[in-house]
Amino acid sequence: MRMQNKVAVVTGAASGIGKDIATVFVREGGKVVIADLNKAAADATALELGGPDKALGVAMDVTSEEQVEKGIAEALAHFGRIDTLVSNAGIQIVAPLDQFPFDKWKLLLSIHLDGAFLTTRAVLKHMYSRPGGGSVIYMGSVHSKEASVLKAPYVTAKHGLVGLAKVVAKEGAKHGVRANVICPGFVRTPLVEKQIPEQAKELGISEEEVIKNVMLKDTVDGEFTTVDDVAQTALFLASFPTNALTGQSIVVSHGWFMQ
Ligand code: NAD
């Protein structure tokens, strides 16, 4: 029970990777706040995970300062503490850079970077105010280390999270707060399922070719990373017993990117 008595806020936890992280945390004895733009799906996930004693659904657009502050206050009122933040909410929009619409560029950066900043700031105030510190985990990507065509704002944002984690690691150290980034390869969630036909169209190739020759081309075994691979990494970071592991980014990608 590696998350016994620990409370985690996971953003974007109504779907995909975030949902699996919340599930694994509850299985390990933790309590989770499912903070998501989609409140109905957040509530359904919270119910699936055992209801109010174990999981709370909270409406949160991570780009809204007001909604983030309100959601974190709700989480604290319900569970009384927050030990872990998983800043995970994210989207993908693919287009060539010379044609990238400015409003879409701003939307993507705002969800990934403003969302990470606002949720971090809100939980740090709490983590700094009491003994015990905490763990902040950002959902980066292989695109925190590596670039791909058609993904300019995503690659930019995911690289940015590595910088943010290092600052949180330095500022948070004296309060016992550590910060790290998980960098997954391609995981078959709704975010990726949507990209397969979009990339096929942009690149003029079949969907099978997108999977084989674009997404999994540089892996060592041609395999997708799974939501559970990522959730086990989040569990490792959230439950690590000391503050020795901080300011790092861990790549979980079947060897697509090796550092
Ligand atoms: P997903 O689409 O399955 O889930 C994303 C969740 O985020 C959804 O529940 C959605 O409602 C929520 N969300 C979107 N905008 C939001 C906002 N403004 N405020 C709050 N919630 C919002 O996607 P996923 O694949 O599980 O992605 C989760 C994270 O993992 C993202 O940050 C993504 O960039 C990252 N990631 C995904 C992959 C992959 O291959 N799927 C690889 C590397 C990194």
Side-chain angles (χ1 to χ4, degrees), residues 1-8 28-31 81 83:
M1 290 298 211
R2 289 154 72 188
M3 293 298 283
Q4 195 71 45
N5 300 324
K6 284 191 197 293
V7 178
E28 288 289 331
K31 299 176 196 303
R81 56 184 293 129
D83 303 282

Side-chain angles (χ1 to χ4, degrees), residues 15 17 36-37 60-62 88 139-140 154 158 185 187 189-190 192:
S15 173
I17 290 171
D36 204 286
L37 193 58
M60 187 188 287
D61 177 348
V62 296
N88 165 78
M139 197 51 63
Y154 191 82
K158 292 302 193 191
V187 183
T189 64
V192 160

